[in-house]
Amino acid sequence: MSGSKSTKNKPSQDEMATKNKGKEVPNEDSPNSAILMALQEQEERFAKKVKLAVREVMEEVLSGEIQTLKNMIESSNSAINELRQDFTRQAELGKALQGRMDSMNANMRSAKQELNMHQQEIINLRDKIVEMEDRSQRCNIRLVGLPESAEGENAVQFLQENLPKWIPSFQVGGKIEIQRAHRIYGGRDKANRPRTLIFRLLRYQDRERILNGARAPQSEIIHGSSKLLFFPDFSNETALKRRSFDSVRRKLADRGLRPFLIYPATLKVKFNGTLHHFKNAEDAGKFLLELDHAPLSTPATPSISASSLPSGCDDQENPSFGISESS
């Protein structure tokens, strides 16, 4: 048994030959391996040198560009900071301007309110002046149609002698007291009509008697061959306002209505039992157009023709001011 164990533990000749052969091969290739290793080391060193050289070259080439980019970035940052500061200044300036604009708008609103108030005050003052002028002339009468020079050298005496002939109510009583009388100034018109004679009465009651007598039905005052018309004396503003109703009043008279003018310039007309008041001729014109499509009832008051309608008719509700003149 011991022999068999020694046989098993002892390697065979083939195994020994194989081992010896494997050991001999490296010995024969050992110089090539060293060369390869040296080449690998040299290649690695060369690669490192190349990388280092490339890096140095790249840094050398790009360093200027990089510096330029850095400078540009710094310049851009500086410009951005300046723009930011300018933005801030502009924003502050905008706030200041907005404040000024708000203040100016407030001042403008206040000025506009004051202007409107002053305009209204001017209108009120003008109306008061017109009313004062009308009241200062409330005893005046305008005589239209009297031929030139018919009154002679003394117009007051001429009127005192002829008014009782023209107005029957003055035939009883004393002499009419007239303060002054004169023709209106200015040249003759193109129609060669005689100038208006204005005379001022001492008493307002006499003025009303003359106007009422001249306005009485069937009362046509003739002097010689001339037809005379009597009108109250108004300021120019009031006369123009009242004169603006002339056309529409004549058209209303043609329809059988009897329009009246209330002081200062309000047209009153009664239609189908209803009183209508108009502050301007435009509204009265619209009413006239509506009448063209409405049935007309028989008027309660006597109708007047457009040819006999003077430039104004007064309303007895306000006897202080009445007929206006359009000559």
Side-chain angles (χ1 to χ4, degrees):
M1 292 184 62
S2 60
S4 62
K5 288 182 180 180
S6 60
T7 304
K8 291 181 180 179
N9 294 328
K10 184 177 180 180
S12 63
Q13 294 180 356
D14 296 334
E15 292 176 354
M16 292 295 292
T18 303
K19 289 180 179 181
N20 293 330
K21 187 177 179 180
K23 289 180 180 180
E24 289 176 358
V25 173
N27 290 332
E28 293 177 356
D29 296 336
S30 58
N32 294 332
S33 298
I35 291 171
L36 290 173
M37 291 179 62
L39 289 173
Q40 289 177 356
E41 292 177 358
Q42 188 175 2
E43 184 179 359
E44 290 176 359
R45 287 195 299 271
F46 181 75
K48 291 180 180 179
K49 288 181 179 181
V50 170
K51 289 181 180 178
L52 182 60
V54 170
R55 182 180 299 172
E56 290 177 355
V57 171
M58 291 293 292
E59 289 179 356
E60 183 178 355
V61 172
L62 297 177
S63 60
E65 298 295 333
I66 293 173
Q67 186 62 36
T68 302
L69 289 174
K70 287 182 179 179
N71 293 337
M72 291 177 64
I73 291 172
E74 290 178 359
S75 178
S76 298
N77 291 334
S78 177
I80 290 172
N81 291 332
E82 291 180 0
L83 288 174
R84 185 176 295 144
Q85 293 175 0
D86 189 51
F87 240 6
T88 303
R89 288 193 298 269
Q90 294 296 330
E92 293 175 354
L93 181 61
K95 290 181 180 179
L97 290 175
Q98 184 64 40
R100 291 182 182 179
M101 287 292 293
D102 293 340
S103 178
M104 290 178 61
N105 289 334
N107 292 336
M108 288 180 64
R109 286 193 294 269
S110 177
K112 188 175 181 180
Q113 292 176 355
E114 291 183 4
L115 179 61
N116 293 335
M117 182 180 64
H118 292 325
Q119 287 178 340
Q120 187 60 43
E121 289 179 355
I122 291 173
I123 293 174
N124 295 337
L125 290 173
R126 185 177 61 188
D127 292 342
K128 287 182 179 180
I129 292 173
V130 170
E131 183 179 1
M132 290 174 63
E133 185 177 356
D134 289 336
R135 291 189 177 278
S136 69
Q137 299 172 193
R138 64 197 305 260
C139 289
N140 294 357
I141 291 181
R142 288 175 172 249
L143 174 57
V144 178
L146 184 68
E148 288 284 340
S149 304
E151 70 277 15
E153 296 182 357
N154 193 336
V156 173
Q157 182 178 354
F158 172 81
L159 291 172
Q160 288 175 337
E161 292 175 355
N162 287 277
L163 279 174
K165 301 177 184 178
W166 299 334
I167 310 296
S169 61
F170 283 101
Q171 293 177 359
V172 179
K175 183 183 295 185
I176 303 173
E177 297 187 66
I178 300 175
Q179 292 182 315
R180 57 183 178 271
H182 62 84
R183 297 271 184 176
I184 61 173
Y185 302 107
R188 303 280 291 275
D189 58 18
K190 295 181 180 180
N192 202 29
R193 292 180 299 182
R195 292 175 298 163
T196 300
L197 178 68
I198 300 178
F199 60 97
R200 182 177 182 85
L201 297 160
L202 179 64
R203 296 179 180 83
Y204 174 75
Q205 292 79 3
D206 290 340
R207 179 255 199 190
E208 286 298 291
R209 290 173 62 189
I210 293 174
L211 292 178
N212 290 333
R215 191 169 49 242
Q218 314 286 319
S219 62
E220 187 175 36
I221 301 174
I222 303 295
H223 181 77
S225 60
S226 302
K227 180 180 179 180
L228 304 183
L229 298 174
F230 292 84
F231 302 98
D233 186 26
F234 292 111
S235 63
N236 291 335
E237 289 79 3
T238 302
L240 287 174
K241 289 179 182 178
R242 297 170 72 89
R243 198 174 301 156
S244 65
F245 289 97
D246 286 354
S247 176
V248 68
R249 285 191 301 108
R250 288 189 173 91
K251 293 177 181 178
L252 290 170
D254 289 339
R255 293 185 60 89
L257 301 177
R258 188 177 181 85
F260 292 91
L261 275 175
I262 305 174
Y263 179 83
T266 299
L267 182 67
K268 187 183 86 168
V269 60
K270 188 174 184 179
F271 177 72
N272 287 346
T274 304
L275 285 176
H276 300 271
H277 296 81
F278 304 101
K279 296 290 186 180
N280 54 71
E282 289 76 13
D283 293 341
K286 294 178 182 178
F287 172 75
L288 188 61
L289 291 176
E290 294 177 359
L291 292 184
D292 295 337
H293 306 285
L296 180 64
S297 62
T298 303
T301 57
S303 62
I304 52 178
S305 63
S307 59
S308 63
L309 181 67
S311 170
C313 296
D314 68 327
D315 191 346
Q316 294 301 322
E317 294 176 0
N318 189 349
S320 299
F321 302 98
I323 306 172
S324 65
E325 179 196 357
S326 63
S327 59

